[in-house]
Amino acid sequence: MLPPSLRGLLRGEAGDTLGEALDHGVLGSPVSPDLYSGLRWRMIGPFRGGRVAAATGVPGRSNDFYFGAVNGGVWKTIDGGRVWTPVFDGQSTASIGAIAVAQSQPDTVYVGSGESTLRDSVGYGNGVYKSTDAGRTWTHLGLDETHHIGKIAIDPKNPNNVFVAAIGKLYAANKERGIFRSRDGGRSWEKVLGDDNVGAVEVVIDPSNSQVVYAGLWNTRRPPWFTYAPTNGPGGGIFKSIDGGSTWSRLTSGLPKEAIGRTGIAIAPTNPNRIYAIVDCLLPEAPPQVEPPLGAPAPQPSPAGARPSSPPPGQGGFFRSDDAGATWTRLSNDPALWGRGWYFEKVAVDAKNPDIVLVPNVGIQRSTDGGKTFSLWAYRGSPGGDDYHQIWISPENPNILIVASDQGTIITRNARTADPRAMTWSSWLNQPTAQVYHASVDYRFPYWVVGAQQDSGAVAVRSRGKFAQISQRDWEPIGAAGESGYATGDPLHPGVIYGGEGSRWDLETNLSVPNTAAPKGTETDRADWTQPLVLSPADPHALYYASQFLFKTTDGARTWTQISRDLTRPDPSIPPNLDATAAAATDRNGKRGVIYAVAPSPLRAPVIWIGTDDGLIQMTTDDGTTWRDVTPPAMTPWSRVTGIEASHFDAETAYASVDRHQLQDFAPYIYRTRDQGRSWQRITAGLPAGVYVHVIKEDLLRRGLLFAGTERGAFVSFDDGDHWQPLQRNLPATSVRDFVVYGNDLIVATHGRGFWVMDDISALRQVSDQVLQADAWLFRPADAINFIQGDDNGTPFQRDEPQAQNPPEGAVLDFYLKAAAPVTLEILDATGKVLRKWPAEPPTATATRGRLPRVSPLWQPVPEVFSTAAGMHRVVWRPVAPSPPATPGAGPRRGAGERLTGTFTARLTVNGGVSTQTFTVRQDPRVEPNSR
């Protein structure tokens, strides 16, 4: 049941919600978004770039570049990478696989959505977009079902002639895969190569003759069980058209005959007969058949138990053609050039010298002799992290190029420098496109947000900067959790987190805490890319880790106890949507699942819920002694349970989010039980069709207030999941992977745009039927802390450095107006004295009028705007006593007034009607009593 002390949060002041509705937080009326229209998401970073596989410059504009993050949208710079600006945030997808600028019309930009680096956490797109005004506005051009686009090629002389290489859906056959051609700027498309199984990942146009087009086909899938790499099915290869894409022929002479996977192709602009290709083919090379000498003994079989010999290397490698693709020569099979081909396989040629060629992989290799020899040109760790994906070289000046990598995008203007160590590069620490899997808080004050960033490792970010903003000084790489594990703050030891398989990390010293151990099961432990590591909210000493088994420690991860059997399906079967190659693919887990979600009850410590990636939900009420399968009947094998939330109000209630897109079912699934799993209800009304769910979380204070994250956005329910509505506000479309409710704040981890915070969700908690019916409403302010915010100590931070806003400094006051009306808002102290009033009196003229300004307006506070329009509005009161009048000619004196604490009253007057709410302001806990 709901604690009596919190029922006012549901009832407002009406008290008219009864019975079952009260028990489950149900409102009698739908909630208008106007009631929370004043809430905003606040980005906090980190500023370390996330994975980018698509990048391009702009011909004729040496300072203009674009990149497309794999789930962070399209970004643009007009100053050579000093500042990057998102230009795609208004679109419905953020997963970008390709981007191209028309050489003959540089304001025309095409974007292919759906990333092409096909990891198991891949995002998907919805076709092609186009801008004709350099990224200011976009038009969706269709090809919605292509899902993943590897490349776009534009006729260098006609921006209306466009080719798209579409990989297609990752888990099943579909028609919208292959090479598509448009001759009218994307208004219509024609499929010219590929079939329902074989898609395309590469397409390039001969710069001297646009009738000549080369394409790389790739038949790839993933199974629902864990595999590191996708498959290479039959039908892949390099193809050529000499009639503008109408007919195609496969190029075979010198190339692998079969099993070709991903390919990258580049044409030398100064010699179009010179073509380079990087080819993925894992099919082993047949060893040479040597006739044994006459009389030699017959070969003997290896003894039992002997180690097998190493398999012969694959047939992939670096290839070159000097006759426009008629014949090819493999110049290298070094895996530094083509290894992990499913993830890389790109190549770029110098715009002026056909012998200079660059091949990105873990590092970037450069050849200056047409591919005969290579040397390492860009190192792992510098200049741009590692795992490089795409290179664009300026056609006018080959010293200028842009590189896309796992850590964002970098630009150089001295690419031809002989010694690569002497090159200079732009930063990749100014791109807040982190792909984060899960979030937690570190309990220092102010709190930090922690999580694992894909490709770069775990990170901790201050929720409030030490200085006047959140900047590079306010986030840190941390050692626990790696690039994909859980990072979990320890509430008993602020400044210490758990990560990965339970290792502990001291954030102050940046050192691991000694004497921890990883859990080991009674059989070989299986693991997906990310495995749960969860603290019990009912017992902060209890930490749980899951493989196919559940483990528990109560001594700070020094020792572990296995508290379950294998909780996954013994034989989850092969789903019918897979092709033969994907059905046969296996990795470290075989074709078995793992526990993917763990939820200890906040109310009863022995109650634990788990969900698996192969489609089971199980629970224990005795801390693992016995387990009960409570899977909803509708859940079939390989329905991945992405999240479970045990209710904070009723031990019988739990929620589960389920993702079935690996079964080619992209619909949203959230289930609710109110009887410990004996029955379940699907609760997805209002969630968009065709977008799967990653997470479901419950508010800590208000029953029935739920938050859901889908592959493309954030949602809220005010009635225990019966109805959902967007909570997107200013949050860009991206993959929402986790929520944390901490105090009054709602924190979100996105898989493409880092961490964001919605400061003070008191208004969401107080929505009631009475609020819905009111013409005006003053929400009860949450108790505030008179926070002492550090500033920049006389040296303001440069505005073109990456930075984010600090949270509000003071008490947050929210009010709602059903219609525009005359409004005043006042703050009163305990004696009834008015301390602050909105709207404020107009400023009086000062003696400085007419003088030249001495301080940049960028460093001056933005004047407050007190709105009286319809909707919900937020005002922040900084609790300081009014300052004495300023000295003529002097600037404003920040912090000159005495800091106030105690009980205060907010008074809202609308059309003569008055409402009041009291709240408390407390002292900053970092300040010793009587120290000020």
Side-chain angles (χ1 to χ4, degrees):
M1 292 293 295
L2 187 66
S5 61
L6 297 177
R7 293 194 179 202
L9 294 175
L10 281 173
R11 296 189 182 188
E13 298 175 0
D16 59 350
T17 308
L18 302 173
E20 183 76 5
L22 174 62
D23 285 345
H24 303 299
V26 175
L27 300 174
S29 305
V31 177
S32 167
D34 289 345
L35 275 166
Y36 53 91
S37 60
L39 298 180
R40 292 289 184 273
W41 293 98
R42 178 172 59 88
M43 186 271 291
I44 64 172
F47 303 107
R48 178 173 63 182
R51 186 166 69 252
V52 173
T56 183
V58 179
R61 300 174 185 173
S62 61
N63 289 320
D64 291 12
F65 299 86
Y66 298 87
F67 74 76
V70 295
N71 224 327
V74 177
W75 295 65
K76 181 181 180 180
T77 180
I78 58 173
D79 54 14
R82 173 64 176 164
V83 176
W84 289 95
T85 302
V87 296
F88 203 70
D89 284 358
Q91 309 312 309
S92 60
T93 183
S95 183
I96 308 300
I99 187 166
V101 176
Q103 186 170 340
S104 62
Q105 196 175 87
D107 281 348
T108 297
V109 187
Y110 289 88
V111 166
S113 66
E115 64 174 292
S116 64
T117 47
L118 304 181
R119 307 188 73 100
D120 64 343
S121 58
V122 66
Y124 72 100
N126 62 356
V128 178
Y129 291 78
K130 178 183 179 181
S131 173
T132 57
D133 52 13
R136 285 187 289 274
T137 61
W138 298 90
T139 301
H140 183 230
L141 301 180
L143 297 182
D144 297 52
E145 297 299 311
T146 52
H147 274 213
H148 302 281
I149 291 176
K151 194 72 174 292
I152 293 177
I154 308 171
D155 186 329
K157 296 182 177 61
N158 184 349
N160 289 320
N161 290 341
V162 186
F163 289 87
V164 170
I167 299 169
K169 294 184 177 179
L170 194 50
Y171 292 93
N174 74 306
K175 293 186 180 300
E176 286 196 1
R177 62 183 348 125
I179 297 292
F180 291 84
R181 179 181 65 186
S182 176
R183 291 171 169 168
D184 55 12
R187 288 190 293 272
S188 62
W189 297 95
E190 175 189 8
K191 184 172 178 176
V192 294
L193 184 63
D195 57 35
D196 290 2
N197 287 297
V198 183
V201 68
E202 176 68 291
V203 61
V204 294
I205 299 173
D206 185 332
S208 66
N209 180 1
S210 59
Q211 291 297 104
V212 176
V213 187
Y214 298 86
L217 297 193
W218 186 21
N219 179 350
T220 188
R221 300 286 195 285
R222 273 190 174 278
W225 51 86
F226 175 78
T227 59
Y228 181 64
T231 63
N232 288 344
I238 296 178
F239 291 74
K240 179 179 180 180
S241 173
I242 58 173
D243 55 8
S246 296
T247 61
W248 297 82
S249 59
R250 182 172 178 176
L251 306 180
T252 58
S253 180
L255 294 170
K257 303 300 182 188
E258 57 181 324
I260 290 179
R262 184 172 190 146
T263 55
I265 305 168
I267 304 170
T270 55
N271 178 9
N273 285 324
R274 171 77 62 83
I275 308 172
Y276 297 100
I278 194 82
V279 177
D280 181 34
C281 179
L282 300 177
L283 193 69
E285 296 202 72
Q289 300 298 311
V290 179
E291 187 72 22
L294 187 64
Q300 299 297 312
S302 299
R307 294 176 62 87
S309 59
S310 299
Q315 296 181 26
F318 177 81
F319 294 79
R320 169 176 151 181
S321 173
D322 289 297
D323 53 13
T327 61
W328 296 83
T329 301
R330 186 170 72 172
L331 300 182
S332 177
N333 68 345
D334 192 318
L337 295 170
W338 73 280
R340 275 200 295 165
W342 63 273
Y343 198 51
F344 298 111
E345 309 311 59
K346 298 285 181 68
V347 59
V349 188
D350 186 279
K352 306 295 184 182
N353 186 338
D355 287 332
I356 299 178
V357 58
L358 300 173
V359 179
N361 201 279
V362 175
I364 299 177
Q365 306 289 334
R366 176 171 69 175
S367 175
T368 58
D369 57 9
K372 297 173 184 176
T373 61
F374 281 89
S375 60
L376 188 59
W377 183 73
Y379 299 87
R380 185 172 197 169
S382 180
D386 65 358
D387 289 3
Y388 298 89
H389 293 290
Q390 185 167 1
I391 301 170
W392 177 90
I393 301 174
S394 168
E396 296 90 14
N397 180 359
N399 265 310
I400 299 174
L401 59 79
I402 184 171
V403 177
S405 79
D406 274 6
Q407 283 75 34
T409 304
I410 52 175
I411 297 164
T412 183
R413 296 183 179 277
N414 46 21
R416 282 191 167 187
T417 301
D419 184 351
R421 294 171 298 181
M423 286 192 300
T424 56
W425 295 86
S426 64
S427 176
W428 48 278
L429 299 175
N430 57 1
Q431 301 158 35
T433 52
Q435 293 177 274
V436 184
Y437 288 94
H438 299 279
S440 180
V441 298
D442 165 46
Y443 295 86
R444 289 174 290 177
F445 182 87
Y447 69 88
W448 294 58
V449 182
V450 298
Q453 178 182 350
Q454 174 63 45
D455 300 315
S456 292
V459 65
V461 185
R462 284 188 174 99
S463 63
R464 179 187 291 269
K466 186 176 181 180
F467 301 98
Q469 62 282 307
I470 296 173
S471 71
Q472 291 281 60
R473 300 174 291 204
D474 296 304
W475 68 268
E476 302 172 356
I478 58 179
E483 65 176 314
S484 61
Y486 278 62
T488 302
D490 184 350
L492 300 176
H493 302 93
V496 173
I497 67 164
Y498 294 96
E501 296 180 332
S503 61
R504 299 183 75 198
W505 199 263
D506 187 324
L507 300 183
E508 290 289 344
T509 63
N510 192 33
L511 296 172
S512 62
V513 177
N515 302 319
T516 61
K520 298 295 179 185
T522 52
E523 304 169 8
T524 301
D525 290 287
R526 299 193 294 270
D528 208 324
W529 192 242
T530 177
Q531 289 300 125
L533 182 73
V534 180
L535 276 164
S536 169
D539 176 7
H541 295 91
L543 178 71
Y544 298 90
Y545 173 79
S547 56
Q548 70 269 39
F549 311 111
L550 188 64
F551 301 89
K552 178 182 179 181
T553 179
T554 56
D555 60 6
R558 292 177 176 84
T559 60
W560 292 86
T561 302
Q562 181 179 323
I563 64 169
S564 81
R565 64 183 190 277
D566 186 333
L567 294 176
T568 66
R569 294 179 185 266
D571 181 13
S573 73
I574 297 174
N577 54 292
L578 300 185
D579 65 2
T581 308
T586 58
D587 206 314
R588 63 194 182 206
N589 296 341
K591 299 177 183 178
R592 297 290 304 279
V594 298
I595 299 171
Y596 202 76
V598 176
S601 169
L603 301 176
R604 299 178 190 168
V607 175
I608 309 166
W609 303 75
I610 69 94
T612 71
D613 68 347
D614 60 7
L616 290 179
I617 296 177
Q618 307 214 39
M619 73 166 301
T620 177
T621 58
D622 52 19
D623 207 27
T625 301
T626 59
W627 289 88
R628 182 162 58 93
D629 185 344
V630 295
T631 307
M635 279 177 53
T636 61
W638 298 116
S639 300
R640 175 177 292 180
V641 181
T642 53
I644 296 185
E645 179 81 340
S647 175
H648 298 77
F649 305 96
D650 176 15
E652 303 277 309
T653 297
Y655 310 87
S657 57
V658 178
D659 169 14
R660 288 170 46 86
H661 85 275
Q662 302 92 337
L663 303 174
Q664 204 51 36
D665 178 2
F666 284 71
Y669 291 92
I670 300 176
Y671 293 96
R672 177 186 64 206
T673 181
R674 292 171 174 164
D675 54 11
Q676 284 198 350
R678 294 175 180 85
S679 63
W680 294 85
Q681 302 82 44
R682 184 178 172 190
I683 50 170
T684 55
L687 294 177
V691 184
Y692 47 89
V693 181
H694 288 294
V695 63
I696 173 73
K697 288 292 177 74
E698 180 188 53
D699 184 50
L700 306 184
L701 295 184
R702 174 183 176 144
R703 189 170 189 173
L705 181 59
L706 304 180
F707 306 102
T710 75
E711 178 59 20
R712 290 181 177 165
F715 293 82
V716 62
S717 172
F718 295 92
D719 56 9
D720 206 34
D722 288 340
H723 303 89
W724 294 91
Q725 53 199 83
L727 192 61
Q728 199 71 11
R729 308 302 303 136
N730 60 312
L731 184 69
T734 188
S735 179
V736 173
R737 296 298 179 96
D738 201 4
F739 292 104
V740 177
V741 181
Y742 183 66
N744 294 315
D745 295 346
L746 178 62
I747 304 160
V748 65
T750 73
H751 203 65
R753 295 295 287 267
F755 297 115
W756 296 64
V757 178
M758 182 172 280
D759 298 299
D760 197 338
I761 60 170
S762 297
L764 295 180
R765 289 169 168 169
Q766 295 174 41
V767 170
S768 66
D769 285 329
Q770 186 175 3
V771 177
L772 298 175
Q773 296 162 12
D775 291 330
W777 192 267
L778 176 63
F779 294 97
R780 183 170 59 254
D783 289 348
I785 293 174
N786 200 334
F787 192 90
I788 301 175
Q789 176 64 57
D791 59 23
D792 290 322
N793 302 321
T795 306
F797 199 65
Q798 282 188 256
R799 290 303 183 189
D800 54 356
E801 291 290 335
Q803 59 191 275
Q805 290 183 335
N806 276 324
E809 186 181 343
V812 172
L813 311 172
D814 293 332
F815 64 94
Y816 164 71
L817 302 174
K818 184 171 288 186
V823 177
T824 60
L825 178 64
E826 299 162 298
I827 303 295
L828 291 71
D829 66 12
T831 69
K833 178 183 176 182
V834 175
L835 301 177
R836 181 70 197 273
K837 180 180 179 179
W838 293 270
E841 296 296 330
T844 58
T846 66
T848 59
R849 177 168 293 178
R851 294 184 181 181
L852 294 175
R854 294 181 296 172
V855 179
S856 168
L858 295 175
W859 291 338
Q860 296 178 1
V862 177
E864 291 181 333
V865 176
F866 184 75
S867 176
T868 61
M872 177 259 197
H873 304 286
R874 170 162 289 185
V875 172
V876 178
W877 173 55
R878 188 165 173 263
V880 296
S883 301
T887 303
R893 297 188 298 171
R894 177 172 166 72
E898 176 190 359
R899 292 185 174 274
L900 303 177
T901 58
T903 300
F904 302 89
T905 299
R907 183 167 65 194
L908 180 72
T909 304
V910 181
N911 287 327
V914 178
S915 57
T916 60
Q917 296 282 6
T918 59
F919 61 97
T920 300
V921 176
R922 301 193 303 272
Q923 181 174 260
D924 190 324
R926 299 169 299 171
V927 177
E928 294 293 332
N930 303 319
S931 66
R932 290 181 61 85

